[in-house]
Amino acid sequence: MVRWRAGTVTALRRGWTGAVELDVEVAGDMMRALAYPALVGYPEVGDRVLLNAGALLMGLGTGGYALVVALPDRLPPDPPEAIDSRDAGHLVKARYTPLQPILLGVDEEASPHHETLADATDLAGLPVVTADLHSALPAILAGVRADAPPARVAYLLTDGGALPAWFSRTLAGLRDELVGTISVGQTFGGDLEASTLYSGLLAARHVLGADVAVVAQGPGNLGTGTPWGFSGVAVGEAVNAVATLGGQPIGSLRISAADPRPRHRGVSHHSLTAYGRVALASAELVVPDGLEPALATEVETALAPLAARHRVLRVDTTGLDEALRRSPVPLSTMGRGLDADHAYFLAAAAAGRHAGQLARQ
């Protein structure tokens, strides 16, 4: 459960869209903390803060912060929008937790987009890339840009990882590259808020005018080392949602020759389970050309059983390495950069390239 701590802010560090890092003195020790000003107010040096320190104390990877729960002596003002009616929205996310935000849903009655989405039922063939990890997002985007620089790309943030969009420094660095972010399910903090992946996909197409959409969870995915105990199973559900709405699902495969865990080498069991067992609709599963021969053989063997349902296609990777190296944000997955896990990023970029090519047709 929650490991509470109280302390005093001693310094403000770097900030990005929706978040700020700070140093907090707790009983003579220093803790690195993160605050979301939209939820708790903007901290200042000398403020007393209440922290949830569990993830930091446990040494969890992505969750390496104590999280600011409140500035108890200096509460932020109420939001300027009306909060005693539904005029400013009534979409509750992180529901029934102490910091649940109440937001304007893109399709609810008070939204300027309500009429557009009231009649929207189809994606009209929109290419949608589905990915297991948040780290695939910039690589997919690099692949789209390689062949379709003007393409309007929307990102749908699902709730398998970080719920606040503000947690992602990657997303903050890609703001100028995306036509918008839609936070779906329990996630929040995107440019648009949607209650479900279905309404979020329709908003990407009909509100943002996306040519390509990317569906992936936020940073900090959950995995238990068991066949079904990982948040990436939602990738298969995303394939079903895209197909149900008349879009074109494109599977970004989690491929690696560098991951030290056998279950994630070659094609990760996350991809094999999500696409092979959970996805009931057909998708295009993209394999990048140019993999090292032994890895290519391993990938081909792993994907053979999936070919009965999905179309497995190879995509040329000429120029994708250069596109990845031009990424406006650092590329990193599980602490490994582009050169340390080249196949992973190349596979994601190849999926993006294929989506961009479809968008140009």
Side-chain angles (χ1 to χ4, degrees):
M1 296 298 286
V2 175
R3 300 174 73 174
W4 287 91
R5 297 292 186 271
T8 302
V9 177
T10 60
L12 301 181
R13 298 299 183 183
R14 60 181 172 173
W16 57 91
T17 305
V20 60
E21 284 183 351
L22 42 143
D23 293 336
V24 179
E25 183 179 358
V26 178
D29 295 325
M30 298 303 298
M31 280 191 173
R32 184 177 69 152
L34 190 72
Y36 302 121
L39 292 184
V40 301
Y42 201 92
E44 297 177 359
V45 172
D47 279 341
R48 186 167 67 97
V49 293
L50 301 182
L51 304 173
N52 179 339
L56 176 62
L57 294 173
M58 290 178 66
L60 299 183
T62 305
Y65 292 103
L67 297 173
V68 176
V69 180
L71 311 178
D73 302 323
R74 193 168 55 81
L75 298 178
D78 287 343
E81 304 87 355
I83 58 172
D84 55 354
S85 73
R86 297 188 177 192
D87 293 344
H90 73 293
L91 187 59
V92 181
K93 298 208 176 183
R95 289 188 278 277
Y96 306 108
T97 62
L99 291 178
Q100 63 180 20
I102 301 176
L103 306 156
L104 178 63
V106 64
D107 57 346
E108 63 176 303
E109 292 85 348
S111 168
H113 309 297
H114 175 73
E115 290 188 10
T116 296
L117 292 176
D119 298 323
T121 60
D122 193 271
L123 294 177
L126 178 69
V128 181
V129 182
T130 58
D132 178 14
L133 299 177
H134 188 68
S135 56
L137 174 61
I140 293 168
L141 189 57
V144 173
R145 293 280 179 254
D147 290 348
R152 296 168 60 85
V153 182
Y155 169 53
L156 290 98
L157 172 69
T158 61
D159 50 20
L163 298 186
W166 311 311
F167 185 81
S168 173
R169 293 193 298 274
T170 293
L171 194 52
L174 293 175
R175 286 187 66 85
D176 293 339
E177 300 291 324
L178 297 167
V179 70
T181 293
I182 305 173
S183 32
V184 306
Q186 295 291 323
T187 66
F188 54 91
D191 300 292
L192 298 174
E193 304 287 347
S195 54
T196 70
L197 179 57
Y198 295 86
S199 59
L201 286 166
L202 291 168
R205 181 57 146 174
H206 297 285
V207 174
L208 295 181
D211 303 310
V212 173
V214 180
V215 177
Q217 63 185 333
N221 66 302
L222 174 66
T224 64
T226 61
W228 291 96
F230 64 97
S231 53
V233 293
V235 170
E237 296 162 0
V239 168
N240 297 334
V242 174
T244 295
L245 294 174
Q248 175 57 62
I250 299 167
S252 175
L253 295 168
R254 184 173 172 182
I255 294 173
S256 178
D259 200 301
R261 299 163 295 179
R263 66 184 183 273
H264 291 307
R265 285 202 296 270
V267 182
S268 167
H269 83 98
H270 285 192
S271 289
L272 296 176
T273 300
Y275 294 118
R277 301 289 300 277
V278 181
L280 302 179
S282 176
E284 294 183 318
L285 304 183
V286 174
V287 177
D289 273 339
L291 294 177
E292 186 271 329
L295 178 60
T297 299
E298 189 175 357
V299 168
E300 182 178 359
T301 301
L303 293 177
L306 279 62
R309 177 176 304 151
H310 303 294
R311 179 187 173 209
V312 179
L313 70 156
R314 295 187 177 278
V315 169
D316 177 57
T317 58
T318 303
L320 289 186
D321 179 76
E322 292 84 351
L324 288 166
R325 295 184 190 281
R326 291 195 301 268
S327 172
V329 298
L331 299 176
S332 178
T333 185
M334 303 295 171
R336 299 185 297 273
L338 175 59
D339 292 320
D341 204 345
H342 196 265
Y344 170 80
F345 295 106
L346 193 66
R353 163 169 275 175
H354 181 59
Q357 290 170 342
L358 291 180
R360 294 175 57 190
Q361 293 177 3

